[in-house]
Amino acid sequence: MSSPEPIFIARYAAGGLSTEDLVEYADRKLMEGAYSDYLVAILDETAKNWDAISPLFELAVRDLGYAMPSFEKAILQLVRHHLELIAAGEVDPLFELSVLWRDIKRFDLHKDVKHYVGDSIGVETLYGLYFAVDDLDDSKRDAGMQKIKSEIVAESERWLENH
């Protein structure tokens, strides 16, 4: 499993965080005993906007010993993180996929498609399973949901083996 720190940083690199998230991060890290002049600068910054806070966050990340992934690496890191949680049975598979789609919302799943949405990063089957819920017949909804969730777990395991 991925630790929380790199996942938070990957969410930043993937464009999934707000200025408020970065300010809360700085406050939390300082309260936990981590120190960086850049974390303090984030809290001291009077103009709490993206242009002021984002560069300080990137410097703080490096100062704390973490690497900033590229956008593409961040996307794959987030996919791996969520699929590991699903495969481990730690989360509701459908809910976790919704979190994954939110985390990678700035990634164009339709770009470089060969056959199906998401196939450029290997999530085409998961994407289809996630939206298959919409096609379930009301009379068989519970059984259908369980089958889809089982298939999501199996597909997550396959993705992890292959990527």
Side-chain angles (χ1 to χ4, degrees), residues 5 25-40 43 60-61 63-66:
E5 201 79 24
Y25 171 87
D27 186 52
R28 181 174 39 83
K29 292 306 290 179
L30 288 166
M31 294 298 285
E32 291 172 354
Y35 184 80
S36 165
D37 288 338
Y38 302 111
L39 293 174
V40 174
L43 296 181
V61 163
D63 206 25
L64 295 172
Y66 294 100

Side-chain angles (χ1 to χ4, degrees), residues 35-141:
Y35 184 80
S36 165
D37 288 338
Y38 302 111
L39 293 174
V40 174
I42 289 171
L43 296 181
D44 287 347
E45 180 62 48
T46 54
K48 299 265 196 279
N49 61 53
W50 190 259
D51 291 338
I53 301 298
S54 177
L56 294 171
F57 174 76
E58 291 185 20
L59 291 168
V61 163
R62 282 194 276 284
D63 206 25
L64 295 172
Y66 294 100
M68 183 64 65
S70 67
F71 177 79
E72 292 77 17
K73 285 185 180 180
I75 295 300
L76 290 175
Q77 187 176 357
L78 290 166
V79 171
R80 175 170 297 287
H81 167 71
H82 291 290
L83 298 188
E84 284 175 346
L85 293 174
I86 292 170
E90 297 179 10
V91 295
D92 176 88
L94 283 168
F95 177 77
E96 196 63 27
L97 281 183
S98 73
V99 175
L100 169 60
W101 305 143
R102 186 179 66 234
D103 274 353
I104 66 169
K105 68 182 175 236
R106 295 196 190 272
F107 179 80
D108 186 355
L109 288 169
H110 296 86
K111 184 179 177 192
D112 298 326
V113 167
K114 292 179 180 92
H115 301 288
Y116 301 104
V117 172
D119 67 7
S120 64
I121 57 172
V123 297
E124 66 277 9
T125 302
L126 291 164
Y127 189 83
L129 288 167
Y130 180 77
F131 288 102
V133 171
D134 297 338
D135 297 331
L136 290 175
D137 184 332
D138 285 340
S139 65
K140 300 176 185 173
R141 190 161 184 82

